[in-house]
Amino acid sequence: YSPCPRTPAENLSVISKVLHHHSDFEPAPLRLPDGTIRAIDEPDWALTIFPHMINTDGFFLSSVRKKD
C-alpha cells in the first residue's frame, strides 16, 4: 500500500482495516537502508516520507505479507 500521504493516522487506519478484513495477512517489517530517518513515530512496517525530507513528493509505504 503506497498512497500519497494524507495524514499518518489515516494511512495507518487504512492498513489496520485491511488487516482486520483479511486475517490471512499480517504486517511485515520494512527492510530500510541503514540510516533511514523516520520523521514520525510509526510501526516498523510503515514509513511516511515528507517532501522536505529528501526533496521529493511525499509518500506513505507499508508492508504486509500473507501468513504461512
Side-chain angles (χ1 to χ4, degrees), residues 6-53:
R6 293 187 172 86
T7 65
E10 179 182 357
N11 290 327
L12 291 174
S13 175
V14 169
I15 296 302
S16 294
K17 288 177 185 175
V18 168
L19 293 171
H20 177 77
H21 292 288
H22 299 277
S23 60
D24 54 330
F25 285 86
E26 62 187 357
L30 290 167
R31 296 179 188 162
L32 301 173
D34 290 342
T36 299
I37 297 171
R38 290 181 175 273
I40 59 173
D41 185 34
E42 55 197 338
D44 65 352
W45 48 264
L47 177 67
T48 301
I49 300 170
F50 295 99
H52 71 279
M53 293 174 66

